[in-house]
Amino acid sequence: MARPRRPEDLAAQLTEAIAPRAKSLIITAYGDAVLPHGGSLWLGSLIELMGLFGMSERIVRTSVFRLCKDDWLTNTQIGRRSFYRVTDSGKERFAAAERRIYAPLAREWDRGWDLLLVPPNALDAETRDALRRELTWQGFGAASATVYAHPNCDEAAMHRSLAELGVADRIVHMKASLDRAEGFGALRDLVRGCWDIDQLEHDYAAFLDHFRPVWAAVDAAEALDPAACFVLRTLMIHDFRRILLRDPMLPPDLLPADWPGQESRMLTRNLYRRLAGPSEAFLMQAATTANGPLPDAQPSFHGRFGGLETIAAG
């Protein structure tokens, strides 16, 4: 039987396979690693961290400039050093994503639905397209050109998006519940018309193909390289996030048998728990803020996935 590959070898292989864009990867790194430690980072530290993924200094500088324009980050200059902090708007967006990414495995569905109704001719074409993109990113499905549906939506994030797009007063938000007497047959057909279930299933399967070998390598390693753990943790959350935030988190009754989404979440939880300690040690040593070393992680960080110490201490 072939021995599992070393985690550091898989880190390099996955960086090439996933090929993350710099701007998106920086968002992942800030949301996953920097924000729990206060949300601010010296540009030099960010350049070094992104260098682990093959990102050049030039592309990192260009990316943080664009993230400032998009109101994700704000820049503070102290002497010759630049420090980039998450904006209040960025914190709200990160909080909405965090509630979904790091949630415990167990979920309950009361068979309720959130419906957003767009009156005909209420929006111009550009605004309508922007609304569709934003709602799709939040996991809404288009039941028609004017009706969006979600069985588990984040209402705070949804209302914030409508307000940011300037359409809150033109969209009707309604609650609905499933008629249990009718069963799930017609609803399953509707689900396949509203969401690209096949693409989500394909993406989750690819995620499992990427990170099952990482679990085997980490589980077999006598010692873990902290920098490699940071790279693997960041790539895993980056890959998982881009799928999960398009996933409406449909209840099992509405999904195909052997749905890989729950298995992907379980793998992410277990692997994150193993990588968290070494990757945090690396981050604390490698990163600098305007006030010196990173502050300790906030207590909420240790509650991710139902508790990071659960397996590490077991």
Side-chain angles (χ1 to χ4, degrees), residues 6-51:
R6 298 189 310 161
E8 46 267 46
D9 294 334
L10 288 172
Q13 176 184 317
L14 282 173
T15 299
E16 182 176 352
I18 295 173
R21 292 180 296 177
K23 182 179 171 183
S24 182
L25 187 67
I26 290 171
I27 289 176
T28 297
Y30 261 88
D32 181 63
V34 180
L35 195 57
H37 293 275
S40 179
L41 198 62
W42 173 44
L43 177 60
S45 295
L46 182 61
I47 289 170
E48 291 184 9
L49 292 176
M50 292 298 104

Side-chain angles (χ1 to χ4, degrees), residues 12 98 110 134 150 170 190 192 207 209 262 278 281 311:
E98 182 168 343
D110 61 2
E134 181 61 29
H150 200 304
R170 286 177 278 174
L190 180 63
R192 285 209 167 265
F207 175 85
D209 287 343
Q262 186 72 350
I311 285 180

Side-chain angles (χ1 to χ4, degrees), residues 207-231:
F207 175 85
L208 291 170
D209 287 343
H210 282 148
F211 288 98
R212 276 176 177 149
V214 175
W215 171 260
V218 167
D219 197 44
E222 295 182 3
L224 294 173
D225 176 69
C229 288
F230 174 78
V231 171

Side-chain angles (χ1 to χ4, degrees), residues 79-131:
R80 299 180 63 183
R81 289 189 165 191
S82 294
F83 297 86
Y84 287 86
R85 174 179 294 277
V86 179
T87 64
D88 289 341
S89 174
K91 288 178 182 177
E92 291 181 7
R93 285 179 275 182
F94 279 129
E98 182 168 343
R99 286 192 291 271
R100 295 183 63 185
I101 295 170
Y102 307 106
L105 290 179
R107 292 183 297 111
E108 293 185 2
W109 183 46
D110 61 2
R111 301 196 181 188
W113 289 80
D114 287 276
L115 302 179
L116 293 180
L117 282 62
V118 185
N121 305 317
L123 308 177
D124 59 60
E126 183 178 350
T127 304
R128 187 169 58 249
D129 288 345
L131 177 66

Side-chain angles (χ1 to χ4, degrees), residues 2-313:
R3 294 185 59 188
R5 299 183 62 183
R6 298 189 310 161
E8 46 267 46
D9 294 334
L10 288 172
Q13 176 184 317
L14 282 173
T15 299
E16 182 176 352
I18 295 173
R21 292 180 296 177
K23 182 179 171 183
S24 182
L25 187 67
I26 290 171
I27 289 176
T28 297
Y30 261 88
D32 181 63
V34 180
L35 195 57
H37 293 275
S40 179
L41 198 62
W42 173 44
L43 177 60
S45 295
L46 182 61
I47 289 170
E48 291 184 9
L49 292 176
M50 292 298 104
L52 298 172
F53 304 89
M55 306 291 179
S56 69
E57 178 176 343
R58 181 186 62 80
I59 194 64
V60 173
R61 289 181 179 274
T62 300
S63 297
V64 294
F65 174 76
R66 291 174 178 167
L67 288 169
C68 287
K69 289 188 67 176
D70 293 341
D71 199 28
W72 280 98
L73 302 177
T74 184
N75 175 32
T76 299
Q77 195 76 23
I78 301 178
R80 299 180 63 183
R81 289 189 165 191
S82 294
F83 297 86
Y84 287 86
R85 174 179 294 277
V86 179
T87 64
D88 289 341
S89 174
K91 288 178 182 177
E92 291 181 7
R93 285 179 275 182
F94 279 129
E98 182 168 343
R99 286 192 291 271
R100 295 183 63 185
I101 295 170
Y102 307 106
L105 290 179
R107 292 183 297 111
E108 293 185 2
W109 183 46
D110 61 2
R111 301 196 181 188
W113 289 80
D114 287 276
L115 302 179
L116 293 180
L117 282 62
V118 185
N121 305 317
L123 308 177
D124 59 60
E126 183 178 350
T127 304
R128 187 169 58 249
D129 288 345
L131 177 66
R132 177 184 51 78
R133 288 194 300 270
E134 181 61 29
L135 292 180
T136 299
W137 186 244
Q138 291 188 26
F140 278 85
S144 73
T146 58
V147 178
Y148 292 88
H150 200 304
N152 265 312
C153 90
D154 184 330
E155 288 194 43
M158 180 267 290
H159 286 300
R160 178 181 56 78
S161 295
L162 296 182
E164 288 182 350
L165 290 170
V167 299
D169 60 343
R170 286 177 278 174
I171 306 297
V172 179
H173 176 213
M174 300 183 70
K175 296 283 189 177
S177 60
L178 177 66
D179 184 350
R180 303 184 183 202
E182 298 301 324
F184 293 107
L187 185 54
R188 288 195 188 100
D189 292 338
L190 180 63
V191 161
R192 285 209 167 265
C194 292
W195 291 277
D196 193 343
I197 299 299
D198 291 338
Q199 184 63 52
L200 280 172
E201 188 170 19
H202 174 272
D203 290 344
Y204 276 128
F207 175 85
L208 291 170
D209 287 343
H210 282 148
F211 288 98
R212 276 176 177 149
V214 175
W215 171 260
V218 167
D219 197 44
E222 295 182 3
L224 294 173
D225 176 69
C229 288
F230 174 78
V231 171
L232 289 169
R233 166 184 157 185
T234 305
L235 288 173
M236 178 179 67
I237 291 299
H238 185 79
D239 206 24
F240 186 58
R241 172 178 71 91
R242 72 178 182 83
I243 307 170
L244 183 73
L245 296 186
R246 290 184 286 108
D247 186 345
M249 306 299 289
L250 295 166
D253 289 329
L254 304 182
L255 292 168
D258 301 321
W259 177 249
Q262 186 72 350
E263 191 173 354
S264 296
R265 179 175 283 279
M266 188 178 300
L267 175 61
T268 301
R269 178 200 66 180
N270 293 342
L271 190 50
Y272 198 93
R273 286 172 169 174
R274 295 292 295 271
L275 297 173
S279 62
E280 283 290 291
F282 169 76
L283 186 67
M284 294 293 287
Q285 177 271 326
T288 301
T289 73
N291 299 318
L294 285 180
D296 291 338
Q298 299 165 357
S300 59
F301 170 79
H302 301 284
R304 288 177 170 179
F305 296 108
L308 295 183
E309 279 77 29
T310 304
I311 285 180

